[in-house]
Amino acid sequence: MTATEMDITEDLIRDLLREQHPDLADRPLKLGALGWDNQVWRLGDDLAVRMPWATRSADALLRKEHAWLPLLAPRLPLQIPVPQRLGEPSERFPRPWLVTTWVPGEPADRAPATRAAEAAVTLADFLTALHHPAPDGAPSGRDRGGRLADTAEYFARELASATESGLIRDPDAVRAVWEDAAAAPDWAGPRVWLHGDLHPANILTTNGTFSGVIDFGDLFAGDPACDLAAAWILLPDGAVDRFHQTYQPSPDAATLRRARGWAVLRALVGIHVGDAGVHGRPGGKPTWGPPAHASLRRLIASAHQ
């Protein structure tokens, strides 16, 4: 069976709950979101069911969240989807699945943060709390968080594609930001816990500021610069300096340079996904384009400060 052959329906999920977690089976159930790896179904008022559907890698990511997030959640100042139950593969559905807490809020690609100073402090406080040294057994990143220079081929390909599609007006300026970042000294500190995928669809807002963080499938340990890129990706104009003043320990110049490079990569992905959404191509999300273009504009401007 490939990752997408089995339809995931309300009846299927309710049957799985009856088989493995019958005390939850009679709760109201409705589809909440379709992610890259998982479908998220709201279960009652305070829980969610995450069902792997689009990728084979989702199975291991769900088990990783189940193993590590309950240990990290108590020290984090924003709500996250804390695993409550693990569903094991069965004859009815041959893949693991997860019951987590439900995190209220609206994804920032649809409802961006508008209270700049408060959002900057909130994001900085969250990452300060998350970025503690990880134990030796902590997972490694799939394709991020290592040496930025190792992404040179990927960066060149993404920039060329966006330029050829007319999505980037000044590729030389974008390239200059990334090349400066790739030339920065590597991270010499301890491997710290990272969310690893802080794009606008994975952080939630309420009343103009951040209120929750979701989808920890890419949770790993590495260079904090990977997550610090979020300042340029998620915050409104004029808020990045406040973020850097609040985040502890205060990032050094090399870390900020690397963070800008990771932000360029994230922005290029967002531009491609947004364009695909505008043109109705598979996997596209039109709401990703505007924040990605705004991020590149801020990154280019920061290179001249």
Side-chain angles (χ1 to χ4, degrees), residues 31 110 118 143 176 267 280 287:
L31 180 63
R110 298 201 296 263
E118 185 172 346
D143 57 0
T287 53

mmCIF file of all heavy atoms in Angstrom, residues 31 110 118 143 176 267 280 287:
data_model
loop_
_atom_site.group_PDB
_atom_site.id
_atom_site.type_symbol
_atom_site.label_atom_id
_atom_site.label_comp_id
_atom_site.label_asym_id
_atom_site.label_seq_id
_atom_site.Cartn_x
_atom_site.Cartn_y
_atom_site.Cartn_z
ATOM 1 N N LEU A 31 -12.884 16.993 10.529
ATOM 2 C CA LEU A 31 -11.598 17.297 9.922
ATOM 3 C C LEU A 31 -11.179 18.722 10.261
ATOM 4 O O LEU A 31 -11.946 19.666 10.102
ATOM 5 C CB LEU A 31 -11.678 17.119 8.407
ATOM 6 C CG LEU A 31 -10.400 17.392 7.612
ATOM 7 C CD1 LEU A 31 -9.297 16.421 7.991
ATOM 8 C CD2 LEU A 31 -10.678 17.305 6.110
ATOM 9 N N ARG A 110 -2.685 32.597 7.332
ATOM 10 C CA ARG A 110 -4.017 33.149 7.075
ATOM 11 C C ARG A 110 -4.344 34.321 7.986
ATOM 12 O O ARG A 110 -5.172 35.172 7.647
ATOM 13 C CB ARG A 110 -5.077 32.051 7.234
ATOM 14 C CG ARG A 110 -4.925 30.904 6.263
ATOM 15 C CD ARG A 110 -6.217 30.132 6.083
ATOM 16 N NE ARG A 110 -6.660 29.476 7.300
ATOM 17 C CZ ARG A 110 -6.423 28.200 7.593
ATOM 18 N NH1 ARG A 110 -5.722 27.461 6.752
ATOM 19 N NH2 ARG A 110 -6.873 27.669 8.705
ATOM 20 N N GLU A 118 4.637 42.669 20.733
ATOM 21 C CA GLU A 118 4.196 41.528 21.543
ATOM 22 C C GLU A 118 4.533 40.212 20.862
ATOM 23 O O GLU A 118 4.977 39.256 21.516
ATOM 24 C CB GLU A 118 2.695 41.626 21.808
ATOM 25 C CG GLU A 118 2.187 40.549 22.748
ATOM 26 C CD GLU A 118 0.744 40.775 23.160
ATOM 27 O OE1 GLU A 118 0.227 41.878 22.934
ATOM 28 O OE2 GLU A 118 0.143 39.834 23.709
ATOM 29 N N ASP A 143 16.955 17.402 6.911
ATOM 30 C CA ASP A 143 17.629 18.129 5.833
ATOM 31 C C ASP A 143 17.939 19.559 6.233
ATOM 32 O O ASP A 143 18.053 20.434 5.397
ATOM 33 C CB ASP A 143 16.767 18.112 4.568
ATOM 34 C CG ASP A 143 15.380 18.702 4.794
ATOM 35 O OD1 ASP A 143 15.085 19.124 5.927
ATOM 36 O OD2 ASP A 143 14.583 18.716 3.844
ATOM 37 N N ALA A 176 23.351 37.118 -2.464
ATOM 38 C CA ALA A 176 24.329 37.762 -1.581
ATOM 39 C C ALA A 176 24.022 37.475 -0.114
ATOM 40 O O ALA A 176 24.939 37.231 0.688
ATOM 41 C CB ALA A 176 24.353 39.266 -1.839
ATOM 42 N N ALA A 267 12.053 31.097 2.805
ATOM 43 C CA ALA A 267 11.281 32.024 1.978
ATOM 44 C C ALA A 267 11.150 31.508 0.550
ATOM 45 O O ALA A 267 10.079 31.615 -0.070
ATOM 46 C CB ALA A 267 11.931 33.406 1.997
ATOM 47 N N GLY A 280 -3.096 26.573 -8.905
ATOM 48 C CA GLY A 280 -3.857 25.357 -8.709
ATOM 49 C C GLY A 280 -3.071 24.073 -8.866
ATOM 50 O O GLY A 280 -3.649 23.020 -9.146
ATOM 51 N N THR A 287 -1.721 31.113 0.294
ATOM 52 C CA THR A 287 -1.462 31.958 1.461
ATOM 53 C C THR A 287 0.015 31.978 1.858
ATOM 54 O O THR A 287 0.428 32.802 2.679
ATOM 55 C CB THR A 287 -2.278 31.469 2.666
ATOM 56 O OG1 THR A 287 -2.028 30.070 2.881
ATOM 57 C CG2 THR A 287 -3.771 31.683 2.423
#
